[in-house]
Each structure stands twice: as structure tokens, then as C-alpha cells.
Amino acid sequence: MSAPVIGVLAVQGDVREHLAALTSAGAQARPVRRPAELDAVDGLVIPGGESTTISKLVDIFELREPVDKRIAEGMPVYGSCAGMIMLAAEVLDGRPDQRGFDGIAMTVRRNAFGRQVDSFEAPVEISGIDGGPLHAVFIRAPWVERVGAGVEVLGTVTGGVPGTVTGSPAAGRIVAVRQGNLLATSFHPELTGDARLHRYFVDLVSSAT
């Protein structure tokens, strides 16, 4: 079986890092900026970055309707950090004009762990990924407040993190979920050199094609 072709939404954010991680995980990785490029991929990664900027640029590049259509047709999509926000059905603390793809039945709180200075790293066990916890990097990260029917919680923060927006520990907060062919994490696996999560997504894409 040939390697799946996986695109990275290349309007803003950690595009190059995701392309490298997908390649190391065995995929054919390509940037996606135009509807025709989206048509040529088997799956899509929505990278970390600034969710409000990504939302605006998706419209400018005329990608919103094509992505919505491919998601409805079952295309696997993985969103990290801002990508998680873009896949959420509901976003708390977002801008009023911010629009996502409404793919996963979850409520996400934007910048929940705090500002840039509150960025942190923590081990996170991910259900379905062997080899011990992932070293997770959180940068102005969201968390999942609640999930709806059909959403599987894959990972939570297992230790308290000081300096959150509420001043309370972040232990137990949901930071990784999956609903069908849609996957999302609060953290940035593309920054660590550990390709296990990208390999998990590549396998998901392979099984869907």
C-alpha cells in the first residue's frame, strides 16, 4: 500500500514542523493553500498558530466550504492547539466573528492554560499510543471543557500546572480527543521530535482510504 497523502493547512502556524513530522511518520506530506490542493490529499492537519487568524485566512483562501465538505465526507483531520479550536463545535473566550469547522462535539476554552509566558511542558498519556507518555508542549493552549456523545477522551493533564487563568491546578483537564476520523490535541507534538502521534494519525488516514 502506498503512503497516504496528508496535507497541512498552510495559511498560518507550524506548517513546516507538521510537514516534517508527517514525513518522518511515513506519509507523503504537502502544504494546502488552495481548494485544488485539498482535493489531492487523503487527510489534513490544521496546525497550531492563532485560531482567529486561521479562521480569517481560511475564508480569504476560499477553503472553508471545501474543508467542511471533505469533513462531512469523512476525510480524517487532525488539529493541534489552534487546530483543536478550529475543529470544536463551541469555543469559549473566542472572538465573536471567529468561525471553525464544527467537526468535533466538544466545547473548547481558548487560551485556557494562560498567556505565552504560561507555556509549559508535561507528560501526557495518550490512549492507543504505546511507548509511555508523550512529552507535550503547551503554548497558549486551549483545553476541552466538555465533550458530547461519540467523542473519545484520549488524554488528560496528569499533574497540576501553576499559573493557569483561574489560578487553580490544571490536573485532569482534557487535552486530546477523537471523534470518528477527527483527532485533536491541545499541545504541539510537532515540536518534540516524537512522531508517535503523527504516526497514529497516518494510520487513521490509511485505514480510512
Side-chain angles (χ1 to χ4, degrees):
M1 181 185 295
S2 61
V5 179
I6 300 179
V8 178
L9 186 66
V11 296
Q12 196 257 350
D14 296 343
V15 177
R16 181 173 56 186
E17 293 85 351
H18 274 292
L19 289 170
L22 288 167
T23 300
S24 69
Q28 301 179 58
R30 302 176 181 174
V32 169
R33 294 187 187 88
R34 299 175 179 84
E37 294 169 340
L38 180 68
D39 290 341
V41 302
D42 303 311
L44 182 70
V45 171
I46 305 173
E50 170 46 53
S51 60
T52 55
T53 301
I54 293 173
S55 175
K56 291 175 183 176
L57 291 173
V58 161
D59 289 325
I60 290 171
F61 283 88
E62 298 182 340
L63 282 165
R64 184 175 301 279
E65 212 170 284
V67 173
D68 280 339
K69 183 173 182 289
R70 290 295 305 276
I71 289 176
E73 292 171 347
M75 177 183 68
V77 180
Y78 165 49
S80 66
C81 197
M84 169 183 266
I85 294 169
M86 291 295 295
L87 285 175
E90 182 183 17
V91 177
L92 305 177
D93 295 336
R95 288 171 54 105
D97 58 347
Q98 186 173 342
R99 294 173 57 216
F101 296 116
D102 194 11
I104 299 178
M106 62 179 174
T107 299
V108 168
R109 186 173 295 279
R110 185 170 171 266
N111 294 343
F113 286 106
R115 299 178 180 273
Q116 192 85 13
V117 294
D118 300 312
S119 299
F120 67 97
E121 302 176 17
V124 175
E125 292 271 4
I126 301 294
S127 177
I129 295 182
D130 297 328
L134 271 68
H135 183 78
V137 178
F138 296 84
I139 303 171
R140 294 180 60 198
W143 66 43
V144 180
E145 295 256 326
R146 51 186 173 268
V147 298
V151 179
E152 179 185 3
V153 174
L154 298 181
T156 61
V157 175
T158 54
V161 180
T164 64
V165 287
T166 61
S168 61
R173 292 294 185 179
I174 299 169
V175 293
V177 298
R178 176 178 173 182
Q179 183 175 5
N181 286 337
L182 304 180
L183 173 70
T185 65
S186 299
F187 53 88
H188 294 262
E190 74 280 5
L191 300 180
T192 65
D194 184 342
R196 283 181 292 162
L197 191 72
H198 286 84
R199 197 169 298 120
Y200 177 94
F201 183 61
V202 170
D203 291 342
L204 174 60
V205 175
S206 295
S207 66
T209 55

